[in-house]
Amino acid sequence: MKDPITISITGAAGNIGYALLFRIASGSVFGPDQPVNLNLIEIEPALPALEGVVMELDDCAFPLLNDIVATSDLNEGFKDADWALLVGSVPRKAGMERNDLLSINGGIFTGQGQAIAANAKSTCRTLVVGNPCNTNCLIAMANAAGLPKNQFFAMTRLDENRAKSQLAKKAGVHPSQVTNLCIWGNHSATQYPDFTNARIDGKPVTEVITDREWLEGEFIKTVQQRGAAIIKARGASSAASAANAALDTVVSLITPTPEGDWHSVAVATDGSYGIEEGIIASMPIKTNADGSWEVVQGVPVDEFSQGKIDATIAELKEEREAVKDLIPA
Ligand code: NAX
């Protein structure tokens, strides 16, 4: 048996947390021979609910679950973390402007970034799920002095999975036959699910689905608006599919990417694809055999795609401007 690894999760008593913890504890993410410690972090008012979640974890008697910490103390919560999954955040309420949301959550991610830097392992990887996740990630990364930028990620995998499922439905194939699907930019309604480079059974999607109008119109809109459609139908935001996507992201970052494919995750920009440095943008990413990752280079960007990418990057720059006081120089 390997030594246990520690996974710190904020918002652990929330809906996504509830769909996330049991799969991690069962071994379906880090493998059947990898014991895990779960450090569950909540705000104080949610600690009683978190206690109930801990009772349920106990009642599963998971062989791989080594230890559980439930706390509202960030130093305790991020202690020796190998992974920090930042799920907790404050949802948008009626009357709240986007900038209010950015700065309220920004305040949370400043402290969390600092606490990760001070307490987690130097190799800790941080995945931000709590919205607005790209900019929350930027704030956490900027406040985590001493930790490399390439250890910070924001989640766009749910968007990738949604896009693959829509393309598969339209083409009458299984979603696993859809590859090379990149979400560019922000996890928001400006995100661009890039159908121009996606493939179905190795063939360009545009050869399999010849209805270009659908691809440029309804497809993109459905993916962009899927979160809102689920809230409308369910009366609550996507939780199980979001937790699934978070775990897909972790697995894709610790498993070599199949040759020629890529996965979507938002990372600190490095100038690739002409996107300026200093924001967290989703791009085509591949994980190498040694566990490192890189931006896949040379993915063709046609004029249509460029317009969409420019729009979502412009939004990310506006978000950065709105929280600039939270980003140390
Ligand atoms: P819930 O409201 O069910 O749970 C959030 C939990 O976070 C609550 O238990 C709350 O007490 C806790 N929390 C709030 N502030 C905290 C803090 N400072 N430290 C620790 N815990 C804190 O929301 P849930 O449905 O679980 O969604 C969580 C976040 O994921 C939201 O921000 C949501 O917008 C975001 N999402 C992101 C997605 C993505 O693709 N990136 C998709 C799904 C989801 O909408």
Side-chain angles (χ1 to χ4, degrees), residues 10-11 13-16 41-43 46 87-89 108 112 129-131 133 155 158 187 237-238 242:
T10 68
N15 285 307
I16 295 177
I41 305 170
E42 262 294 350
I43 48 173
V87 179
S89 65
I108 296 173
Q112 292 184 354
V129 175
N131 280 323
C133 65
M155 184 168 100
L158 180 54
H187 168 68
S237 62
S238 23

Side-chain angles (χ1 to χ4, degrees), residues 109-152:
F109 288 85
T110 312
Q112 292 184 354
Q114 290 163 354
I116 291 167
N119 298 283
K121 293 205 178 115
S122 61
T123 50
C124 177
R125 288 178 160 195
T126 297
L127 172 66
V128 181
V129 175
N131 280 323
C133 65
N134 296 54
T135 298
N136 288 342
C137 180
L138 178 67
I139 295 165
M141 181 183 82
N143 285 280
L147 288 186
K149 289 183 175 169
N150 66 4
Q151 290 173 202
F152 286 82

